[in-house]
């Protein structure tokens, strides 16, 4: 069964209408993120942040966090899931799909990044 990838218009004004979103979320990832947000005591304006940080066994690590927006953030809305993405992270994540998987090995968010030239075994680090 093929998973549906959801995307909507970006609310951030620096994106041209003909540009594509830097990130995509599957339906499963949207629901899992919404469930996580519902279980947290977030302050108004705090939403999901997707970012890349230096480190990890392959050079860069994926990070998901709940924060407020920052200046120059890209702000995306996926069926009511508001996502913040900083410009530096967007360069590394362009075209990435975030999925939520459940398997015998566990469950969690999976990044499918076409820009990654190497990845680690755990899937949370890339180069």
């Amino acid at each position: 069964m093929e998973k549906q990838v959801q995307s909507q218009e970006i609310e951030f004004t620096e994106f041209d209408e003909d540009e594509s979103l830097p990130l995509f979320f599957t339906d499963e990832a949207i629901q899992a993120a919404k469930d996580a947000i519902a279980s947290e005591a977030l302050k108004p304006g705090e939403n999901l942040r997707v970012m890349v940080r230096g480190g990890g066994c392959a050079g860069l690590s994926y990070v998901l966090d709940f924060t407020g927006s920052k200046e120059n953030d890209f702000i995306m809305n996926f069926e009511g899931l508001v996502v913040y993405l900083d410009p530096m992270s967007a360069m590394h994540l362009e075209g990435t799909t975030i999925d939520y998987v459940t398997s015998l090995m566990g469950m969690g968010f999976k990044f499918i990044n076409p820009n990654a030239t190497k990845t680690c075994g755990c899937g949370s680090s890339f180069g």
Side-chain angles (χ1 to χ4, degrees), residues 34-51:
K34 286 180 175 180
D35 291 347
I37 287 170
S39 70
E40 297 287 323
L42 299 182
K43 297 175 186 165
E46 288 184 330
N47 290 290
L48 180 66
R49 174 171 298 281
V50 178
M51 62 184 178

Side-chain angles (χ1 to χ4, degrees), residues 32-85:
K34 286 180 175 180
D35 291 347
I37 287 170
S39 70
E40 297 287 323
L42 299 182
K43 297 175 186 165
E46 288 184 330
N47 290 290
L48 180 66
R49 174 171 298 281
V50 178
M51 62 184 178
V52 171
R53 179 179 298 157
C57 53
L60 297 170
S61 295
Y62 300 113
V63 178
L64 297 173
D65 196 7
F66 298 120
T67 68
S69 66
K70 297 179 182 174
E71 188 175 346
N72 296 324
D73 273 348
F74 300 117
I75 304 171
M76 297 165 281
N77 186 324
F78 299 93
E79 294 184 17
L81 172 66
V82 177
V83 178
Y84 303 136
L85 178 68

Side-chain angles (χ1 to χ4, degrees), residues 17-38:
E17 289 182 14
D18 61 341
E19 289 183 288
S20 63
L21 294 171
L23 284 177
F24 303 93
F25 282 74
T26 64
D27 290 339
E28 292 81 2
I30 291 170
Q31 190 58 55
K34 286 180 175 180
D35 291 347
I37 287 170

